[in-house]
Amino acid sequence: MKCSCIFLYVVINFAIAAAQQCVDTDSTASCSNSSSSHQQTADFFAWDVAQPPPLLSALFPNSTQLLSAWEAHPLLSKVSFAQQHQQNDQSTTNNNIPVTLHDRSSLLPLQSDTDSGDPLLSLLTVDDTISILSRPLMRNGVDYKLAKKIVRNGEEHLGMLPNPHYSVEEIIAHFHYGGFSVVIDRMHRRWGAVAVQSRRLEEELNAIKVGVNMYLTPEVMLETETDKRNGHTRQGFEAHWDWMDVIVIQLSGRKRWSVANEPTVYLSNKDQKRKPTVEEIKHYVGDARFSEFTLCPGDAIYIPRGHIHNASTVLDDNELDHCPSSYPSEEMAKLLNVNGPSLHLTFGIEQSCEGKVESLLHHALNIYFDDNRASNSIAIPAESCSSRSQAATTHDIRWKSILHHALASVARRGHSCDFPSFRSTDGKQNDCNSLRRSVPLGLSEKTDSMQYSHLEKVFLHALDMFSSSASITETAEFVQTLQTPPADPDLTYCFPGYSVEDVVACPEALISLRQKKQKKHEFTQVLMDFHKEASTCFLAALKAMDKFGNDIRERNRKQQLVDLEKVAQVNI
């Protein structure tokens, strides 16, 4: 059924009236009359600050502060175990990271099997990690990593031990005497208590997936020559950024952190993840990071994707590295072992290619071409591709495929929010790329909410940006980069609804389109037609995106239960 309703969009004094939105009836995209009016005072990625989510509020008690930081800047949450403490103090003086202080005794009574006085801190212990590493078939490089930072010719690298299997005794020896950190991936599929909290965070954030990794780094020992050469620090990873937003919870020991105060790649997509250049590292170390700080047991930090960071264990030789010397109970002090190895969990909020504003426009493209099949004419016949291209023997390339790739190209374009103090904008836009922002699941069922209304406004802005910025030349250049698969297959480019018919496999033929006046006009016309129709079908695209994301989440959860059952850790 074709989206043919007329859309009226008016903004008056921060109010928006939306008429005749698309709806999804019996899984078929269509348009029908509906209207709403909301004051634009809330972002679409938000929660009720009067009733904040329990786990998030346990970690970051000031919900308003966390909301303003979300996808914008890092936020540190420091614990005060004293009953009297400074409430929610945010300081940015002297280049300090924004911070909130709170009393750990105010935590909600989450489930725990140990009486540590704090169930979050008892999610996992060092002994638990040894238990996990003792399981049969645990493979180095696959299930866990023995890794440490090495410096070669002034450049940081990740050093890893090569053998696929090590005994627990060998792991402990490499850990204590070799300075290797132990990293265990997919902890939400290996340890029941961690699985419970990852599932809880997933629900609170309405995220497609929340994965968890564990990092255990040895304490510094003065007598080792390795520690002396490394300046009395031990570090598992070189400076890097993640393609997912992360929440780090320090469980025991302590670790000194350095975090960028601006993104290297603003809200980095999964396929934009790469090793920072030497110049980017120099800028990060010189001018683009907050003052260093130490995570003590119970502390947490939120870091948006794209922000460079690194961490290391250090000697307690200055005030920066002091952690509380006394705790509410002797058992808690023993459990937290401030002077022992550093143990932390990293919860990664993985929206990937399925949960962004870009994804919403990809679903709108699918709806448009399903409703307007005549517009999906052949742009490049299969025979026009060279014999080296897969497309030469498989299929014609249609405008739907080209527009999908054009959208991805615009979403990955550099702009003013990529290291703003380091490089200038490309001049094509004056604001941050809204296509990279995350979209929580479930907003298609909340059409009368301010979050829904705000997302609609962002969708229309992103649609305008795409329509005005897309070009055949830059699309062809982007497609060219896809011809060489990344070294890490997990970082492969993707978009929702991906199929072999959607792949542009011969960029040379796409480049040649810019020299054909008729094809350039055709590209512009298809783009304009899509813009006109897509502005009326926001809700239909959002429903399709919700279904797609929920299907992925359900598959992930089924696999999570299977993995937990294998190791007798099912308690979710």
Side-chain angles (χ1 to χ4, degrees), residues 405-425:
H405 286 80
L407 172 58
S409 172
V410 172
R412 285 151 182 78
R413 191 172 296 164
H415 49 76
S416 58
C417 287
D418 291 344
F419 254 173
S421 64
F422 181 49
R423 59 173 73 92
S424 61
T425 178

Side-chain angles (χ1 to χ4, degrees), residues 175-232:
F175 176 80
H176 281 297
Y177 303 110
F180 283 87
S181 291
V182 178
V183 182
I184 303 180
D185 298 329
R186 301 181 298 280
M187 284 295 297
H188 57 292
R189 295 186 176 186
R190 304 183 192 276
W191 198 253
V194 173
V196 169
Q197 302 308 332
S198 71
R199 181 74 64 89
R200 183 173 300 200
L201 196 58
E202 202 171 80
E203 293 286 353
E204 292 184 358
L205 291 171
N206 291 311
I208 292 176
K209 178 185 176 183
V210 173
V212 188
N213 290 346
M214 182 228 74
Y215 299 83
L216 181 64
T217 303
E219 68 274 34
V220 175
M221 294 188 293
L222 270 173
E223 62 271 18
T224 66
E225 289 300 320
T226 299
D227 290 335
K228 291 178 182 178
R229 288 195 302 270
N230 291 334
H232 300 308

